[in-house]
Amino acid sequence: MTLPGFPDAAPVAGLAGGILIGLAAATMLLGIGRIAGVSGIAARAFGITDSGLPKGSAWNFIVGLPLGALIVVLVTGGVEAQFAGFLPILIAGLIVGIGTRIGSGCTSGHGVCGVSRFSRRSVVATITFMATGIATVAVMNAIGWEVIQ
Amino acid sequence: MTRLAPIALISGILFGAGLALGGMTNPARVRGFLDIFGEWDPTLAFVMGGAVIVMAIAWRFQARMAEPIVAGVFALPDRTDLTPSLVGGAALFGIGWGIAGLCPGPGFAALVIAPAKAVAFIAAMLVGMLIARFLEKRD
């Protein structure tokens, strides 16, 4: 199914994926009593912070991420994916790592878990990273820096 | 830990499956969402909308539960203060997100889609997290 005016959009797959992500976060919340924030759980798994889930559980969550994606790849026969080159990926990773720790979360912790709870901090963080993400892509387009060929 | 670990694994699997199904392991699609002045791709809004709706319901259940199903207590963020760190960190994160179209969840999920690039992203992200820890300890 397509969205009128947006031939490339995948609204049904997007909504279905979003519901799965919501169920994932609900499982973490109602089962374990914690926020499913990927940056925080990754920091815990790799020993960068001592707070959060028990380390073993943090690793289980992190290992589950590629496993879940693998299931979708196997069931659907492959997913479309175009990645940036290694240099932009390394620069981006470094900035994402610094920003998510200083800003206490990312798209999952703030964007999904926090926004759905009407957390003031998460709403502000989400508006902020959306705005700078939009500005970054706009500036890169304006100067002709095409990271994805 | 033994009781929590399987729940964490299930949560991770659901999360990774949702990311891949929703097209969020495709950085081109994520950057398409951020490209509002170009050929905008609204798919990410559907992903986030679906996740937020389910979680909004989950929070209603949480409010009526004395404790989580397999853990002793709810350990949830309770801060409400808006700080320069929150806004500055989120601003930085958004810049990194925009550059390559990857955030932490898709970074790990992409290990089965573009392994070398996922490893590069994760390694750089962990270095960034260590830098942040160093900066915060200096304060």
Side-chain angles (χ1 to χ4, degrees), chain B:
Chain B
M1 176 201 136
T2 47
R3 289 167 71 230
L4 303 190
I7 305 291
L9 180 64
I10 291 166
S11 177
I13 290 172
L14 285 170
F15 209 115
L19 287 170
L21 185 62
M24 299 296 100
T25 48
N26 182 1
R29 197 180 271 294
V30 173
R31 292 188 87 247
F33 172 77
L34 296 173
D35 190 14
I36 58 170
F37 304 111
E39 285 184 38
W40 189 52
D41 180 343
T43 305
L44 187 144
F46 287 86
V47 177
M48 207 151 215
V52 165
I53 288 167
V54 173
M55 267 306 278
I57 296 167
W59 282 114
R60 299 295 109 205
F61 280 90
Q62 188 272 333
R64 286 162 180 77
M65 290 165 67
E67 56 193 42
I69 296 164
V70 296
V73 289
F74 283 104
L76 301 169
D78 54 6
R79 284 177 68 177
T80 56
D81 54 327
L82 302 177
T83 61
S85 294
L86 176 79
V87 177
L92 266 181
F93 163 52
I95 292 170
W97 190 36
I99 289 175
L102 281 168
C103 54
F108 286 103
L111 282 166
V112 294
I113 293 164
K117 287 186 170 172
V119 167
F121 178 78
I122 293 164
M125 182 177 77
L126 293 174
V127 171
M129 287 181 169
L130 287 169
I131 292 171
R133 188 174 72 169
F134 172 75
L135 293 174
E136 284 181 335
K137 280 195 175 161
R138 245 183 13 167
D139 288 342

Side-chain angles (χ1 to χ4, degrees), chain A residues 14-26:
Chain A
L15 198 59
I19 289 170
L20 280 182
I21 293 168
L23 290 173

Side-chain angles (χ1 to χ4, degrees), chain A residues 16 20 66-80, chain B residues 13 16-18 20-21 112-113:
Chain A
L20 280 182
L67 278 181
L70 181 63
I71 292 169
V72 171
V73 169
L74 293 177
V75 169
T76 62
V79 293
E80 194 188 329
Chain B
I13 290 172
L21 185 62
V112 294
I113 293 164

